[in-house]
Amino acid sequence: MADTKTDTDTDTGQDDAKEQAGSGLDALRDELVDYLGAQAEHLVEKTGDRLSDLTQQLLDSAENGGGFLTGVGSRILKGESPLKALVAQKAGDVKDKVVEGAKSLFGKSKGKSGRAKVMNIVEVLDIGVPLRDAYNHWTQYDEFSGFTKGVQSVSQGDEVTSDWKLKVGPSKRSYKATTQTQIPDDRIVWTSEGAKGTTRGCVTFHELAPALTRIVLVVEYSPSGFFEKTGNIWRAQGRRLRLDFKNFQRYVSFADPDVEGWRGEIRDGEVVRSHEEVVEEEQREEEEGEEGTEGEEGEEEYEDEYDEEDGDEEEGDDEEYDDEAPDGEDDFEDEEEEEDEEVEEAR
């Protein structure tokens, strides 16, 4: 009986231990459930706040013209999921803000008048060719793409305008140039406009010797746009122009000197003398100069002949006078002797 009672007590203790262990697990499970529930509730609240903020942004965007909302809607209509459309549109807005900030940063270079900062480029080169040859080569714009790296192509619209396609580093740009003043063998003044900026330029030609010409190039460049202003900081445009100017010097030094350039005259953007008129006038002046030179040479020859004839006549007169002088003296002496003889006879 004692043994039976002992076994029963043992079983009862085990059952109590199991119940205590079960209650502990239940308590732990309950605590875990409560914790997860609290976390889920916090997540829902946080998500709700974000959704409320997003909803408010959408409402604000709609009230301000619907830019953001319209962008999201257009993306959804193109087949994007709503979440992807929201993320993409938000990223685009951030990018726009960054670009605008950068533009405002580079826009600080404007002066008091609000105009963009102008970059001045001044270059001087001496070329060992006559002035006329240097000027004629410069007016051959369609040849520039053959010896420069910055000029891709040039198409002449008329005698005053031309279209230029240029390249500076990875950037390409197009300009429409207008010649304002052009005087043969003297100067060319032009302006150009394009999406990347505007320029004003002047090139002058100066004869230092019969076979030595000095060219002075002055350019004002006003950049336009983000990348152009960035390039302006590094003076990329000035370096490109300087190198191509030296390429022109090299090209002209080895090129055929017998090149015919455009020799018309332009004043205030209008042609006042055509190429043919200037060429005819130059030929006429050249012929008149040659005739004047021949006339001077003829007068010099005539004067030389006249001097020789005068010299011969003077020499002849002197000889005749010398020849006659002794004969006259002899006759005078004979007459004196005859008179003396007559006087003696009379005595």
Side-chain angles (χ1 to χ4, degrees), residues 182 262 264-268 270-274 277-278:
Q182 184 164 349
W262 192 81
E265 183 175 349
I266 299 175
R267 302 275 187 175
D268 297 329
E270 296 183 358
V271 178
V272 295
R273 289 196 301 167
S274 65
E277 292 175 348
V278 175

Side-chain angles (χ1 to χ4, degrees), residues 121 123 217 219 236-245:
I121 305 172
E123 295 295 329
L217 178 63
V219 177
Q237 296 87 351
R239 289 198 301 272
R240 179 73 276 157
L241 187 144
R242 186 179 302 112
L243 291 175
D244 283 344
F245 195 24

Side-chain angles (χ1 to χ4, degrees), residues 60-133:
D60 294 341
S61 177
E63 291 176 358
N64 295 328
F68 181 82
L69 186 61
T70 303
V72 174
S74 62
R75 291 177 181 273
I76 294 175
L77 291 176
K78 290 179 181 179
E80 296 183 5
S81 64
L83 180 60
K84 185 177 180 181
L86 288 172
V87 174
Q89 185 64 28
K90 192 66 177 178
D93 291 345
V94 172
K95 180 181 177 182
D96 293 339
K97 291 181 179 179
V98 172
V99 173
E100 290 296 330
K103 287 183 177 181
S104 63
L105 176 63
F106 288 100
K108 292 181 179 179
S109 61
K110 293 183 178 180
K112 295 181 179 180
S113 61
R115 295 179 58 187
K117 184 177 180 181
V118 176
M119 182 177 66
N120 297 319
I121 305 172
V122 180
E123 295 295 329
V124 180
L125 280 180
D126 295 339
I127 304 179
V129 297
L131 184 145
R132 183 186 180 92
D133 294 343

Side-chain angles (χ1 to χ4, degrees), residues 128-278:
V129 297
L131 184 145
R132 183 186 180 92
D133 294 343
Y135 175 84
N136 286 345
H137 278 292
W138 187 276
T139 59
Q140 297 295 305
Y141 301 138
D142 54 348
E143 299 292 335
F144 276 42
S145 60
F147 60 84
T148 63
K149 294 183 179 180
V151 180
Q152 291 187 317
S153 64
V154 181
S155 59
Q156 194 80 21
D158 51 33
E159 296 174 338
V160 177
T161 61
S162 57
D163 295 323
W164 295 66
K165 292 184 178 180
L166 309 179
K167 181 180 180 182
V168 178
S171 178
K172 296 181 181 179
R173 69 288 306 274
S174 299
Y175 289 95
K176 186 175 185 62
T178 302
T179 303
Q180 303 296 337
T181 302
Q182 184 164 349
I183 303 174
D185 300 333
D186 184 21
R187 66 177 53 238
I188 300 175
V189 180
W190 76 91
T191 58
S192 65
E193 295 182 357
K196 304 296 184 178
T198 60
T199 63
R200 287 200 311 163
C202 176
V203 58
T204 57
F205 303 84
H206 311 270
E207 184 178 21
L208 303 181
L212 182 61
T213 303
R214 172 167 293 175
I215 301 179
V216 180
L217 178 63
V218 180
V219 177
E220 289 184 351
Y221 173 64
S222 301
S224 176
F226 173 72
F227 291 103
E228 289 297 311
K229 292 181 180 179
T230 304
N232 190 19
I233 294 177
W234 301 104
R235 301 291 177 177
Q237 296 87 351
R239 289 198 301 272
R240 179 73 276 157
L241 187 144
R242 186 179 302 112
L243 291 175
D244 283 344
F245 195 24
K246 291 183 178 180
N247 286 332
F248 175 79
Q249 181 187 36
R250 171 187 55 80
Y251 171 76
V252 174
S253 298
F254 295 101
D256 183 8
D258 297 331
V259 60
E260 182 178 0
W262 192 81
R263 303 190 61 80
E265 183 175 349
I266 299 175
R267 302 275 187 175
D268 297 329
E270 296 183 358
V271 178
V272 295
R273 289 196 301 167
S274 65
H275 169 76
E276 291 76 13
E277 292 175 348
V278 175

Side-chain angles (χ1 to χ4, degrees), residues 1-18:
M1 293 293 293
D3 293 338
T4 303
K5 186 176 181 179
T6 302
D7 295 337
T8 302
D9 294 338
T10 301
D11 294 337
T12 302
Q14 291 177 354
D15 292 337
D16 294 339
K18 289 180 180 180

